[in-house]
Each structure stands twice: as structure tokens, then as C-alpha cells.
Amino acid sequence: MTTSLALRCQTAVIGFACLAALTGCATNAPTAPDLARTPAASATYYYTGGDILTMVGDAPRYAEALLVKDGRIAAVGSLAQVQQAGGPGATRIDLAGSTLMPGFIDSHGHLVYATHTMLDADLAGVKDIPELLARLKAHAAEVPEGDRIVGMGYRVEQMTEKRHPTAAELDTVSATRPIGISDGSGHHGVMNTALIREMKFSASTPDPEGGFFFASTRLS
């Protein structure tokens, strides 16, 4: 089982037709336009006031404004061009510094989860448990005291032992700080004794829906 650190990347999404607006990672990132204020699909409106990334070509290409008519992109270009194409009745939506880009069409993506793992110990490619523990120890030295130690990415089938590490082995990294690691699939993980106690798991703790707990030693 793995424990996620708090997400430090503020993300805002504007949903309409096939567009999405995302704010950058910043403490004082501007707020994206309120979805409740987005005009109806039959209306004519244009976005401006932020980075409009077209995703055309191999290099990043930006536009000053984007026009939507009847739920479809009608024009992309300079503000003057878009305003002319939209006519005097077009509604202006200020992106307030947010980034607008084509909507994601992804059958199995983990954008938010990926930002979590950027803060974790990178366990991808470890060849055995000693290497996994060494990476956790190195990462633990960089994590503020009091914070959990989290790792992600190891693959049992790539490791010499062909098994997950045990809670006792994770305790060698720290017996007092909570440690949780997850394998590369995100469906298996291990906790050390400190995290087991923090989560108040015991022999009577029921298995989660769709999964199960496996204890290498008896939980008290």
C-alpha cells in the first residue's frame, strides 16, 4: 500500500468542446475562469489573456486568442483576427494568465498521480532489495523530519529476489518514520512498521474492496 504526499501542483481545467485550460505549478497561480460562467454551447465566445498552446507542429506554437462558435473551435490567431471573426456579439473570456490547450484524449492516463511520484523516491529499475533500500535511505535524507518517506516504481519481476520487500526490511531504512512504497503498477505496495501503526492496521483490519492485505508477520 502506498501513501500519497500532498499534491503541490495546482491544476485547473476548463471543460468545453475539446479544450482544457491548465494553470502552471505555482504558489500564487491565477485562477482559471469559472466553469459556471462559460457560455452555452450555442453561444459565440473567445478566450484570450493567457498562453493558448495550439499543439500544432513539433515546436510549441502559441496564439493570442481562440474563438468558439456553437461548441466548435472557429478561429485561432491574433486577438484582432478572432474578434473580427467572432463579431460584435462574441463574449470575451479572460484566461487570467492560465494556459489553454487541446483537451486530453487518453484512455488510461495518470496526470495527477504522476505529479505525486515526482516527489517520491524513484525506485524504477532497482535490481534487488538492497538497491531499493539504498535509494530509500538516500531519499529519506532529503525528506524533512516528520514527513513520510514514499517510494514508487520497483518491479518484482526485474529484481533478483522476485518478491516485494518486507516491513522488517523497510524498518532498516527507518524504524520510526512511516515508509510506504508502491510498485510500478501502483497496485501493490509495502508499509514499514511505523506506517502500519500510524494507519492503525491490525490482524482484524478487513481487506479493502477489490484487494487484500498480506502480512509477512502477524499484525498485533
Side-chain angles (χ1 to χ4, degrees):
M1 178 171 290
T2 185
T3 304
S4 297
L5 294 174
L7 180 62
R8 299 176 188 176
C9 175
Q10 296 179 340
T11 305
V13 180
I14 303 171
F16 71 93
C18 54
L19 293 173
L22 302 178
T23 62
C25 299
T27 304
N28 297 314
T31 303
D34 188 349
L35 287 176
R37 297 185 179 182
T38 301
S42 60
T44 299
Y45 51 97
Y46 62 94
Y47 290 87
T48 190
D51 292 326
I52 298 175
L53 181 59
T54 65
M55 302 299 289
V56 174
D58 296 331
R61 292 178 60 182
Y62 294 88
E64 188 179 10
L66 181 146
L67 176 70
V68 176
K69 281 187 177 181
D70 299 325
R72 294 181 176 275
I73 300 172
V76 180
S78 68
L79 179 58
Q81 290 172 328
V82 167
Q83 286 177 326
Q84 182 178 6
T91 300
R92 176 190 176 110
I93 297 180
D94 187 357
L95 290 171
S98 297
T99 297
L100 184 148
M101 60 192 298
F104 297 108
I105 301 174
D106 191 342
S107 62
H108 194 96
H110 299 285
L111 178 63
V112 174
Y113 189 55
T115 62
H116 282 271
T117 60
M118 291 172 66
L119 307 172
D120 301 340
D122 181 9
L123 304 180
V126 295
K127 294 180 175 58
D128 51 34
I129 289 174
E131 183 181 355
L132 182 149
L133 297 176
R135 290 199 194 182
L136 280 175
K137 288 178 181 178
H139 178 72
E142 301 175 356
V143 176
E145 200 63 42
D147 286 0
R148 293 170 178 162
I149 301 167
V150 182
M152 169 73 181
Y154 71 96
R155 293 280 185 177
V156 168
E157 64 272 18
Q158 297 175 355
M159 297 166 61
T160 301
E161 299 86 354
K162 304 300 181 186
R163 65 171 175 84
H164 298 275
T166 64
E169 287 168 333
L170 294 186
D171 287 346
T172 66
V173 176
S174 176
T176 58
R177 301 178 68 181
I179 302 174
I181 63 173
S182 174
D183 74 345
S185 74
H187 297 291
H188 308 274
V190 184
M191 296 177 288
N192 75 335
T193 303
L195 184 54
I196 291 172
R197 289 172 178 165
E198 181 180 289
M199 300 298 290
K200 296 182 170 57
F201 288 137
S202 69
S204 61
T205 301
D207 287 336
E209 183 177 354
F212 64 90
F213 293 116
F214 173 80
S216 56
T217 57
R218 181 174 176 80
L219 296 174
S220 58

